[in-house]
């Protein structure tokens, strides 16, 4: 069956360190993968999209990699700040297109 | 900026009541979605719509219906609310192709519904 998995345990890191979040998927062949940020009590907000022919994408302190052989995407926040504390969701387009399938999200907590 | 608004942030209803959740987007998007989000279960798609008066079932449509009479508005209806429908409900919209990455979704702030 199709599955998207993110670290279910919260990630706690110290301010200034690099946070790395993982998204693994099985039985999909997504053309691209997206990452969203969700703050408590709010809707998710789109951050980055990476296509299957792109190995890496950067936006300011964010970096996303996409390994279609491993079926895995890594999401990095460098020089993390307490304001980066949130839940991060990965999402990919299901085989029908148009519909996004979301992972459960990983909660990140950055301590000062 | 895309704006997706939902009619209520918090809602408390009684079992058996008919509940309407409204969602409006201002970017002329073709696609609109309703999700519910529960701890440990993530975002689950209830219904979506690719066009006016068109609807498709998502992964968990039971106990819900939807209406899309106008392009900008997508309503979720709980025909007879039950306690297991207590959840956070999120509306989203997207525009296929065009200037933005295909299928990037823009979410509303959510409605936290409690059914007593």
């Amino acid at each position: 069956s199709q599955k998207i998995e993110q670290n279910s345990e919260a990630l706690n890191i110290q301010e200034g360190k690099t946070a790395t979040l993982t998204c693994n998927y099985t039985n999909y062949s997504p053309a691209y993968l997206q990452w969203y940020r969700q703050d408590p009590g709010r809707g998710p907000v789109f951050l980055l999209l990476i296509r299957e022919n792109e190995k890496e994408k950067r936006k300011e302190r964010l970096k996303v990699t996409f390994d279609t052989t491993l079926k895995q995407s890594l999401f990095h926040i460098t020089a993390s700040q307490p304001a980066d504390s949130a839940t991060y969701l990965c999402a990919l387009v299901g085989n029908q297109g148009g519909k996004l399938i979301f992972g459960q999200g990983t909660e990140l907590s950055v301590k000062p | 900026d895309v704006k997706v608004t939902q009619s209520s942030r918090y809602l408390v209803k009684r079992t058996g009541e008919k509940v309407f959740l409204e969602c409006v987007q201002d970017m002329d998007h073709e696609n609109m979605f309703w999700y519910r989000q529960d701890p440990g279960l993530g975002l689950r798609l209830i219904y979506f719509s690719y066009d006016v008066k068109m609807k498709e079932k998502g992964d968990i449509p039971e106990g819900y219906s939807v209406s899309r009479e106008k392009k900008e508005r997508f309503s979720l209806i709980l025909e007879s609310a039950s306690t297991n429908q207590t959840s956070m409900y999120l509306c989203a919209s997207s525009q296929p192709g065009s200037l933005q990455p295909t299928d990037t979704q823009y979410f509303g702030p959510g409605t936290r519904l409690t059914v007593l």
Side-chain angles (χ1 to χ4, degrees), chain A residues 1 14 21 40 46 49 60 63 65 79-80 84 88 102 104:
Chain A
S1 63
Q14 207 65 32
L21 286 69
F46 171 76
L49 176 148
E60 298 171 353
K63 184 179 88 170
T65 62
S80 60
D84 296 325
Y88 292 87
F102 286 85
Q104 290 185 22

Side-chain angles (χ1 to χ4, degrees), chain B residues 62-82:
Chain B
E62 297 78 20
Y64 304 93
S65 62
V66 290
S67 171
R68 193 163 180 203
E69 296 296 320
K70 294 185 177 181
K71 192 175 186 180
E72 68 271 16
R73 188 181 296 268
F74 192 34
S75 302
L76 180 69
I77 303 149
L78 284 65
E79 298 291 343
S80 177
S82 63

Side-chain angles (χ1 to χ4, degrees), chain A residues 9-108:
Chain A
E9 290 183 18
L11 182 63
N12 297 301
I13 64 167
Q14 207 65 32
E15 183 176 7
K17 301 290 187 187
T18 296
T20 298
L21 286 69
T22 305
C23 177
N24 295 298
Y25 60 93
T26 53
N27 294 322
Y28 285 106
S29 297
Y32 48 86
L33 188 145
Q34 303 181 16
W35 283 89
Y36 289 76
R37 169 185 172 138
Q38 186 174 22
D39 292 287
R42 302 287 176 180
V45 175
F46 171 76
L47 294 174
L48 278 170
L49 176 148
I50 185 165
R51 293 183 167 80
E52 60 179 341
N53 60 350
E54 296 173 317
K55 296 295 181 192
E56 180 180 298
K57 199 129 183 211
R58 291 175 186 263
K59 180 182 175 183
E60 298 171 353
R61 294 184 296 109
L62 308 181
K63 184 179 88 170
V64 173
T65 62
F66 192 13
D67 188 326
T68 54
T69 303
L70 290 178
K71 295 189 183 296
Q72 180 181 78
S73 176
L74 298 178
F75 178 82
H76 307 272
I77 306 175
T78 57
S80 60
Q81 304 166 359
D84 296 325
S85 299
T87 296
Y88 292 87
L89 306 166
C90 68
L92 48 82
V93 177
N95 295 333
Q96 289 178 270
K99 287 166 52 178
L100 277 182
I101 312 297
F102 286 85
Q104 290 185 22
T106 298
E107 184 180 348
L108 172 67

Side-chain angles (χ1 to χ4, degrees), chain B residues 69-105:
Chain B
E69 296 296 320
K70 294 185 177 181
K71 192 175 186 180
E72 68 271 16
R73 188 181 296 268
F74 192 34
S75 302
L76 180 69
I77 303 149
L78 284 65
E79 298 291 343
S80 177
S82 63
T83 54
N84 63 13
Q85 292 179 309
T86 292
S87 185
M88 169 72 109
Y89 289 88
L90 289 158
C91 174
S93 72
S94 73
Q95 182 69 10
S98 187
L99 300 174
Q100 295 295 333
T102 302
D103 298 312
T104 298
Q105 293 192 7

